[in-house]
Structure formats: C-alpha cells, structure tokens
Amino acid sequence: MRNKSFKSDKVLIIGMKYGDEECFDELFRKYYPRFHTYTNRLTHDHFLAEDIMQNVFLKLWLNRLKLDERFSVVSYLYVLTKNEILNQMRYDRNHPNVNNRLLTVCRHLYDENDTDYKELYAKVLEAVERLPKRRREVFKMNRFEFLSAAEIAERLGLSVRTVEKHLELAMRNIRQTLGPVLSILLFFF
C-alpha cells in the first residue's frame, strides 16, 4: 500500500528551504510522473525525457532557497521543464550532429491546457510587450528565436555589447514588472 502524504506544496517547499530531503522526495514523487509524461509526449524520447526531468528536479533542489512558497510549484515546474526542453533545442541547433527531433517541441510547448502555465506565460509575454521597441526586439530574437548576441548584433547592425546590454535591461524591466514572486522564474527563462 502506498503511503500518501497530506502535506501541502507550501509545507513541502518550506521544508525544502530548511534542507529537508524528505520534503523534496515527496514533491519529486508527486510531480515527476506528470512532468515526465508531459516531456516524453513533447520529445518522443523516453530517455531524453528522463534526463530533462532529472535536470529539472536538480534545479528545483539547488534553487530551493529562492522558492516562494506562496507561488504554485506546478507553474514553477512547467517553466523549468519548458526551459530544459528549449535548452536541449538550443544544444541541438548548435550541434548539428545531434538528433534534432526537438525542433517540433515548440509547436506543442505552448498548447498546454494547464491554466497555471497559461497564466504565467501570459504575464511574461505582457511584460515583454511593455519593453521599449528595440529592447523588446532584441529580447524576442534571443529568447524566442534562440539567436546569440553575436547573431542579433549582426542582424540589427549593433555591437555585441549593445545587444548584451539590451538583454540585461530587458531582464531587469521584466523582473520589475512581474514583481518578486514571479521574478524567480526568470532565472530560468
């Protein structure tokens, strides 16, 4: 018989902040199957999905002190998972010898029906749209088209340092717009 916990996510996050590995294990057991299924569906690769999920939960543990127990852990895990998948896509894009099947993931990534994820994503997009025109353009090219600072600089006729400064200021503006609760998510955005 399986031992089910009645601890809330809030209590588990607080416990993790104090280094309680049992709280982490409980969150892992609670959410790993759900997010593994989600990742496996997007990547169509069981082993890659396992690697991605291991990275997601490792980041959850390593960044436990930055977590806000008032924020939905499900939303946070969706963001971490999305970013791990996108990181894999960036890696695949920069390493042509690697199987590049994750390029189809983006089409599915934003079609999730989870309301927490949709709300979070909408807030991030709203914050991006509030950026000054050039800063918004640079940010979108970097985060949504996966272009490097050098590639953006070449396309826009700017210096690499100017592009880097635009990205730095864009992140600062977005953090200010989203506030302290959501800004932790941008660490992985």
Side-chain angles (χ1 to χ4, degrees):
M1 184 173 177
R2 224 174 166 179
N3 183 14
K4 292 210 174 199
S5 171
F6 297 102
K7 292 180 185 172
S8 69
D9 289 352
K10 180 179 179 178
V11 169
L12 295 173
I13 294 295
I14 291 170
M16 281 177 48
K17 284 181 164 184
Y18 287 100
D20 187 337
E21 292 178 15
E22 287 181 19
C23 288
F24 173 77
D25 289 341
E26 195 168 319
L27 271 176
F28 181 87
R29 285 190 309 274
K30 185 175 181 180
Y31 291 113
Y32 182 89
R34 175 180 180 177
F35 285 94
H36 181 271
T37 300
Y38 168 76
T39 305
N40 191 41
R41 191 178 74 230
L42 293 175
T43 63
H44 304 289
D45 185 327
H46 175 74
F47 298 109
L48 180 59
E50 283 184 5
D51 287 344
I52 288 171
M53 292 317 305
Q54 291 298 322
N55 288 341
V56 165
F57 280 94
L58 175 64
K59 286 181 179 179
L60 180 67
W61 176 255
L62 292 175
N63 292 290
R64 66 190 180 277
L65 297 176
K66 297 177 185 176
L67 295 174
D68 187 334
E69 60 274 3
R70 297 171 295 172
F71 190 71
S72 166
V73 72
V74 172
S75 295
Y76 185 68
L77 286 170
Y78 267 124
V79 170
L80 287 177
T81 302
K82 177 199 81 148
N83 285 320
E84 281 301 310
I85 292 169
L86 294 176
N87 287 340
Q88 182 65 46
M89 289 176 60
R90 285 183 190 113
Y91 178 85
D92 288 351
R93 183 172 164 261
N94 293 323
H95 297 85
N97 296 331
V98 175
N99 186 345
N100 208 4
R101 67 182 119 176
L102 284 178
L103 289 176
T104 59
V105 170
C106 270
R107 277 184 247 132
H108 304 290
L109 197 55
Y110 301 112
D111 291 338
E112 282 301 306
N113 292 323
D114 187 279
T115 54
D116 287 338
Y117 181 77
K118 280 185 172 182
E119 287 174 20
L120 173 64
Y121 187 66
K123 286 179 183 179
V124 172
L125 286 181
E126 184 180 314
V128 170
E129 291 305 317
R130 290 183 182 171
L131 295 172
K133 183 180 177 185
R134 179 62 82 172
R135 197 171 298 162
R136 179 176 59 238
E137 181 180 23
V138 168
F139 184 84
K140 284 182 172 182
M141 291 172 84
N142 178 256
R143 299 304 172 123
F144 301 138
E145 296 178 37
F146 314 112
L147 298 177
S148 68
E151 291 169 321
I152 296 168
E154 185 177 324
R155 263 198 200 177
L156 298 178
L158 302 170
S159 72
V160 173
R161 179 66 191 124
T162 300
V163 169
E164 290 170 348
K165 190 65 176 175
H166 275 299
L167 290 171
E168 176 188 329
L169 292 172
M171 289 300 291
R172 185 179 303 154
N173 292 146
I174 292 169
R175 281 187 185 103
Q176 289 171 347
T177 301
L178 294 178
V181 174
L182 295 178
S183 67
I184 183 63
L185 297 173
L186 289 176
F187 180 75
F188 297 104
F189 189 81

